[in-house]
Amino acid sequence: MGWNLVRIWTILVYTFMFLPVAVVVLLSFNASQFGSFPMTGLSFRWFVELAQNEAILRAFRTSIVLGLLTAAISTTLGVLASLALVRYRVPGSNVISTLLIAPILVPEVVLAVALLLFLNFLQINKSFTLLLLGHVIFTLPFVILVVQARLVSIKRDVEEAAMSLGASPRQTFFQITLPLMLPAVLAGALFAFTISFDDITGTLFWKPGGVETVPTQIFAMLRNSISPEINALGTVMIIMTVGLPLLGLAIARQVAKKSGT
Amino acid sequence: MSSVTLNNIVKRFGNFTAVHQSSLEIPEGAFVTLLGPSGCGKTTNLRMIAGLLDPSEGEILIGGKRVNDVPIHKRNLGLVFQNYALFPHKTVAENVAFGLKYRDVPADQIPKRVQEALELVQLPNVGERYPKELSGGQQQRIALARAIVIEPDVLLLDEPLSALDANLREDMRVELKRIQERIGVTTVFVTHDQSEALAMSDQIVVMSEGRVEQVGAPEEVYNTPASEFVANFLGASNIMEAKCAGMGGEGVTIEAPIFGTMTIPSEKAPRVTGAGPAKIVIRAEKLQLSANPAPEGVVSVPATVETVDYQGQAVRYFVRAGDTQLQAINMIDGHPFAEGAEVHLHLRPIDCAALPG
Ligand SMILES: Nc1ncnc2c1ncn2[C@@H]1O[C@H](COP(=O)(O)OP(=O)(O)OP(=O)(O)O)[C@@H](O)[C@H]1O
Ligand SMILES: [Mg+2]
């Protein structure tokens, strides 16, 4: 009896969470101009219009470039930071670790405003580079958390064995450590990409005039009217931000399986 | 193949001294075991030889060359760890081939060398498998193959058998010794298991709290312990305060409690320098319980059995003679004595050893 209540409650919560998403996805295939039920027919016309909308395409390109750069930089920095924190005795490593993780704990708005004020103070103008910098700060903790956890589980013995066999520390890293932490590195990169790709709060503060990412573009479009194009765009976003990590996970699992870890 | 020399090595971790000034000479081709209780600095010594730790003082020579400043990957050593440390993402063959890539081995020779190494450890058919597809004993053989395929100057083994179960451990012990003899590589073996040390070594280095207590052949450290610590660590011993009454041609005369005056061969008391206080060391295995008094030339003392600890082929007795409790380990011949039995303790003076008091 009690368990049934819990079960129903759980279902209700999930319905509440996912119903709006489902509605958006459904309506994006609606033939009619007005986004409402009942649907008048199945159509891909909003996706076609989407593909012809210059502003959206530009935003898409910006988002992808931004996401890829963020992922590349965050992952590189994150791997290096994790290595330093886990493998070497760095003075004050606890403090550094906390500082690196802090951006997750600070509310995003606060972080966004803080960075903006700081840039003003330095009299630096907003630019794409700064937007990228903001995204890197914001995604770095996720990469570090994932990679660090993995690195801790890689035994020092294995690296020492490699070195005793003649591999220099650098060769040991590329031959042993990196392959062993690859699943975590991939996961970190994917995290960074998806977080960057659908971030809006920070982006609104940091983006220079005239640059739009997909989320800010949607936001701007919503201010004028609710076009069914937005439903289509939402569906594409959902596919990207849900599908990519799933794909990544599957790849990571394959890699892990092959390496027998 | 090279000799290894430690010259006045000290290793400190902060305020704590893990290895006190110690020197060691490991001859070319020898199988030397570092033996001692947990925390005595065995691994620390091994890691310094390997180049994984820098000594705080002193110098390390391999093949006569000072290697203090040579990083581990240039030392040409084979290293085997307690928990195998195989590369989980590489196949067995790739694991074994790993060290060859960094040496001047022609690429077409590598598979042949790998196969030879796998045959040496008697696992010729597992090259394509991943380490996790092997048993613990098999993994350790592969770790050994990986270490010896590079023809190291020195083979360093840190408790390589202790993760294996008892039966397998004995097999591997024989196997390891066979392989070492076959390739003749200088080997430093770390263990806290005395039977392993006694069975395998040319030389045993007994360590305690960061100090070398004794270096010698297994028989020597077993029969002529240099200190009370060594006597107790290698098997069970009865150690009693005694007195040296004099030294003569036929040996050292010791006045011991319970057993009375005995003449011990000089080579069993090399550290006793003259009359004065001394300690007598009686191995538990050398103290025989018997229902009858002893024949001529064997000391015999009446005693009472207090505790019987049955161990299968052998039995360990705690007996009381006078007001002293003694330990005896005897092979079982017929039935063991029961608790409370009145027995005679037989002891041959030549089986005793003496230490300075
Ligand atoms: N990195 C380190 N920092 C501080 N102390 C250390 C360090 N490594 C070892 N020690 C200390 O040095 C002493 C010797 O350690 P070591 O590992 O050599 O012992 P061991 O003889 O190999 O023991 P075991 O049989 O348990 O492996 C120990 O008391 C240990 O706590
Ligand atoms: Mg150890």
Side-chain angles (χ1 to χ4, degrees), chain B residues 37-44 47 82 158-159 190 192:
Chain B
S38 187
C40 71
K42 306 179 294 286
T43 299
T44 306
R47 291 175 69 85
Q82 180 174 353
D158 193 352
E159 310 209 19
V190 162
H192 57 247

Short mmCIF file of all heavy atoms in Angstrom, two decimals, chain B residues 37-44 47 82 158-159 190 192, ligand 2:
data_model
loop_
_atom_site.label_atom_id
_atom_site.label_comp_id
_atom_site.label_asym_id
_atom_site.label_seq_id
_atom_site.Cartn_x
_atom_site.Cartn_y
_atom_site.Cartn_z
N PRO B 37 60.12 -7.96 9.58
CA PRO B 37 58.70 -7.74 9.84
C PRO B 37 58.17 -6.52 9.11
O PRO B 37 58.94 -5.73 8.56
CB PRO B 37 58.65 -7.51 11.36
CG PRO B 37 60.02 -7.04 11.72
CD PRO B 37 60.96 -7.67 10.74
N SER B 38 56.88 -6.38 9.09
CA SER B 38 56.24 -5.27 8.40
C SER B 38 56.77 -3.93 8.92
O SER B 38 56.94 -3.75 10.12
CB SER B 38 54.73 -5.35 8.64
OG SER B 38 54.10 -4.38 7.86
N GLY B 39 57.08 -3.04 7.99
CA GLY B 39 57.50 -1.70 8.38
C GLY B 39 58.98 -1.57 8.68
O GLY B 39 59.43 -0.53 9.14
N CYS B 40 59.77 -2.61 8.40
CA CYS B 40 61.19 -2.54 8.77
C CYS B 40 62.03 -1.86 7.69
O CYS B 40 63.22 -1.67 7.86
CB CYS B 40 61.74 -3.92 9.07
SG CYS B 40 61.90 -4.95 7.61
N GLY B 41 61.41 -1.52 6.58
CA GLY B 41 62.15 -0.78 5.56
C GLY B 41 62.57 -1.58 4.34
O GLY B 41 63.38 -1.12 3.55
N LYS B 42 62.01 -2.77 4.17
CA LYS B 42 62.38 -3.61 3.04
C LYS B 42 62.00 -2.93 1.72
O LYS B 42 62.82 -2.78 0.81
CB LYS B 42 61.66 -4.96 3.11
CG LYS B 42 61.85 -5.70 4.41
CD LYS B 42 61.10 -7.03 4.42
CE LYS B 42 59.60 -6.88 4.38
NZ LYS B 42 58.97 -6.43 5.60
N THR B 43 60.72 -2.53 1.62
CA THR B 43 60.25 -1.89 0.39
C THR B 43 61.01 -0.60 0.13
O THR B 43 61.38 -0.31 -1.00
CB THR B 43 58.74 -1.63 0.49
OG1 THR B 43 58.08 -2.87 0.66
CG2 THR B 43 58.22 -0.94 -0.76
N THR B 44 61.27 0.14 1.19
CA THR B 44 62.00 1.40 1.04
C THR B 44 63.37 1.14 0.40
O THR B 44 63.77 1.83 -0.53
CB THR B 44 62.15 2.08 2.40
OG1 THR B 44 60.85 2.21 2.98
CG2 THR B 44 62.78 3.44 2.27
N ARG B 47 62.89 0.17 -3.27
CA ARG B 47 62.50 1.31 -4.10
C ARG B 47 63.68 2.25 -4.33
O ARG B 47 63.74 2.94 -5.35
CB ARG B 47 61.32 2.04 -3.49
CG ARG B 47 60.03 1.21 -3.55
CD ARG B 47 58.88 1.89 -2.82
NE ARG B 47 58.42 3.08 -3.51
CZ ARG B 47 57.54 3.07 -4.50
NH1 ARG B 47 57.03 1.93 -4.91
NH2 ARG B 47 57.18 4.18 -5.08
N GLN B 82 53.83 -6.87 -5.67
CA GLN B 82 52.93 -7.80 -4.98
C GLN B 82 51.62 -7.99 -5.74
O GLN B 82 51.14 -9.09 -5.89
CB GLN B 82 52.64 -7.22 -3.59
CG GLN B 82 51.72 -8.07 -2.77
CD GLN B 82 51.61 -7.52 -1.35
OE1 GLN B 82 52.31 -6.60 -0.98
NE2 GLN B 82 50.73 -8.09 -0.57
N ASP B 158 59.12 -7.41 -5.00
CA ASP B 158 58.58 -6.97 -3.71
C ASP B 158 57.39 -7.85 -3.31
O ASP B 158 56.29 -7.67 -3.82
CB ASP B 158 58.16 -5.50 -3.77
CG ASP B 158 57.90 -4.94 -2.37
OD1 ASP B 158 57.90 -5.72 -1.40
OD2 ASP B 158 57.71 -3.72 -2.25
N GLU B 159 57.63 -8.80 -2.46
CA GLU B 159 56.61 -9.74 -1.99
C GLU B 159 55.76 -10.26 -3.14
O GLU B 159 54.54 -10.17 -3.11
CB GLU B 159 55.71 -9.07 -0.94
CG GLU B 159 56.53 -8.39 0.13
CD GLU B 159 55.82 -8.34 1.48
OE1 GLU B 159 54.88 -9.11 1.67
OE2 GLU B 159 56.25 -7.54 2.32
N VAL B 190 62.06 -9.35 -1.74
CA VAL B 190 61.59 -8.84 -0.46
C VAL B 190 60.48 -9.73 0.06
O VAL B 190 59.56 -10.08 -0.69
CB VAL B 190 61.06 -7.39 -0.61
CG1 VAL B 190 60.18 -7.02 0.57
CG2 VAL B 190 62.22 -6.42 -0.72
N HIS B 192 58.34 -11.05 4.00
CA HIS B 192 58.36 -11.14 5.47
C HIS B 192 58.12 -12.58 5.89
O HIS B 192 57.91 -12.87 7.06
CB HIS B 192 57.36 -10.18 6.10
CG HIS B 192 55.96 -10.39 5.64
ND1 HIS B 192 55.27 -9.47 4.88
CD2 HIS B 192 55.13 -11.41 5.80
CE1 HIS B 192 54.08 -9.94 4.60
NE2 HIS B 192 53.95 -11.11 5.15
MG MG C 2 56.77 -3.57 1.74
#
